[in-house]
Amino acid sequence: MKIALITGITGQDGYYLSRFLLNENYIVHGIVRRSSNFNTQRIDNLISEYGPEKKLILHYADLTDSSSIHALVSKILPDEIYNLGAQSHVAVSFLNPGYTADVSISGTTALLESIKNSPKKIKFYQASSSEMFGGKENTLLDETSLLDPKSPYAAAKVFSHNLTKIYRDSYGIFGVNGILFNHESPLRGETFVTRKISRAVGRIKNNLQSKLTLGNIHAFRDWGFAGDYVKGMYMMMQHETPDDFVLSTGETHSVKEFSELAFAHVGLDWKEFVITDKRYERPNEVHHLLGNSEKAKKILKWEPETSFEKLVQIMVEADVKKAEQEKLLISEGLLSPTWEHPIGL
Ligand code: NAP
Ligand code: F7E
């Protein structure tokens, strides 16, 4: 059985990737960082199913603590490491630039050093991002496009992206960069715009919220479904030679279009509910992102399977159900009815 180590296993992609690898009969180890609350909600069902058989094993470690990373890699000796852990929110990276850089940069460096010093040949996947391109209108972005980061988040990702290439070229490490465009799901963090919208639609439909406040609704993103993208990560790691690959849908839509479609799905007009506020805008914006994943299609035979319309539908339907459950709990006095997040993003 192959052994994988996943950083960021408690995140959106962490769930979809571990589920995929467990189905492929891998033993999956994951890093969980200490927090004052349980942070394993997304993978709790996988823990119940695979934990007792020791096919899914969690360890306390932190990407900012290189000693914890070195110790874990030498103990587990995995066949493959998927480095998904990050402070992944672009707006937050402007507020916490040092921490954002620490997690990405120290984490990737510690992992690559551990691999370099390991007696075993360990493959490495780096979660690179379309944010590294900075974006340009009417421009299809691929593996050869210029990197022009516009946020501390993107700058830190560029470092890790380059470091992965450097360790590949210098030490012959099997290191791949998956340059993934935005991918979403019902498990997307609630402060990312698609989930913020689908949550609001569910709650507004159930009379638990009256308005949705957004920032720049004229930003365009190439949005796909996370479940499709983790398959691409796996395929990059099985390819005979390590390389960099873009994963994207080749379609771009605005935040406004996403909102329009999401509200329309439950028979509501977005204009009656969406308001905008500068507090959700960023000091520097990536206005347009559109990817070209022809290389992944040709070499890996990877293609996204979920359309934009289907993605919106999946997310809205899941969040309508979630809001219905919340409504019931609120009516029984078991859940607080407040919604607006005090910090808000
Ligand atoms: P996510 O849901 O925000 O998950 C991030 C994960 O990183 C969580 O498990 C988080 O743990 C963990 N983490 C944060 N700080 C850590 C630390 N100091 N030590 C160890 N783990 C830490 O992100 P995602 O959407 O799944 O994305 C996965 C990766 O792909 C990220 O690196 C992201 O930057 C990158 N990426 C994402 C997209 C996208 O559209 N989703 C596109 C391109 C690239 P907690 O649960 O404890 O917070
Ligand atoms: O913003 C605009 C916002 O936060 C998308 C991360 O996974 O994908 C993600 O980064 C767009 C931006 O994702 C709100 O200004 C408008 O233009 O959902 P987002 P992101 O910044 O694209 C990349 C590929 C990653 O790698 C990252 O890890 O939507 N927008 N109004 C808003 N965004 C948020 N969050 N909240 C709003 O109210």
Side-chain angles (χ1 to χ4, degrees), residues 10-13 33 39 62-63 84 88 153 157 180 183:
T10 57
Q12 169 190 259
D13 291 4
R33 60 181 175 149
N39 54 358
D62 198 300
L63 286 167
L84 309 184
S88 70
Y153 166 79
K157 284 286 180 187
L180 272 50
H183 45 280

Side-chain angles (χ1 to χ4, degrees), residues 239-343:
H239 186 55
E240 57 201 26
T241 45
D243 205 345
D244 302 335
F245 292 95
V246 159
L247 300 186
S248 62
T249 69
E251 265 185 45
T252 189
H253 298 273
S254 66
V255 172
K256 180 172 155 246
E257 276 177 79
F258 193 104
S259 310
E260 214 168 330
L261 207 57
F263 278 93
H265 191 69
V266 295
L268 298 174
D269 180 357
W270 75 284
K271 288 196 248 44
E272 289 176 25
F273 303 98
V274 175
I275 50 175
T276 56
D277 190 314
K278 285 206 173 304
R279 87 183 142 123
Y280 293 114
E281 290 179 14
R282 296 159 187 198
N284 200 359
E285 173 69 294
V286 170
H287 291 284
H288 289 265
L289 282 176
L290 175 59
N292 172 4
S293 52
E294 276 305 307
K295 181 176 169 185
K297 185 176 173 189
K298 202 169 149 217
I299 298 180
L300 304 175
K301 315 281 177 245
W302 178 87
E303 273 190 278
E305 290 163 29
T306 313
S307 68
F308 174 69
E309 291 73 19
K310 184 75 188 165
L311 173 69
V312 176
Q313 182 194 336
I314 293 169
M315 292 181 72
V316 169
E317 287 177 4
D319 278 330
V320 167
K321 277 198 194 116
K322 191 175 171 84
E324 284 166 1
Q325 287 158 4
E326 281 173 347
K327 193 175 181 178
L328 195 68
L329 292 172
I330 290 168
S331 71
E332 290 168 358
L334 297 170
L335 193 69
S336 151
T338 54
W339 170 246
E340 273 291 337
H341 194 278
I343 299 179

Side-chain angles (χ1 to χ4, degrees), residues 205-260:
K205 186 70 185 166
N206 280 282
N207 300 316
L208 297 175
Q209 187 176 335
S210 56
K211 292 282 174 206
L212 166 63
T213 314
L214 296 174
N216 174 20
I217 58 170
H218 303 295
F220 282 77
R221 287 292 180 276
D222 180 329
W223 278 299
F225 172 57
D228 294 345
Y229 284 51
V230 299
K231 274 190 219 162
M233 295 176 187
Y234 169 78
M235 289 163 126
M236 288 177 212
M237 292 286 261
Q238 310 318 310
H239 186 55
E240 57 201 26
T241 45
D243 205 345
D244 302 335
F245 292 95
V246 159
L247 300 186
S248 62
T249 69
E251 265 185 45
T252 189
H253 298 273
S254 66
V255 172
K256 180 172 155 246
E257 276 177 79
F258 193 104
S259 310
E260 214 168 330

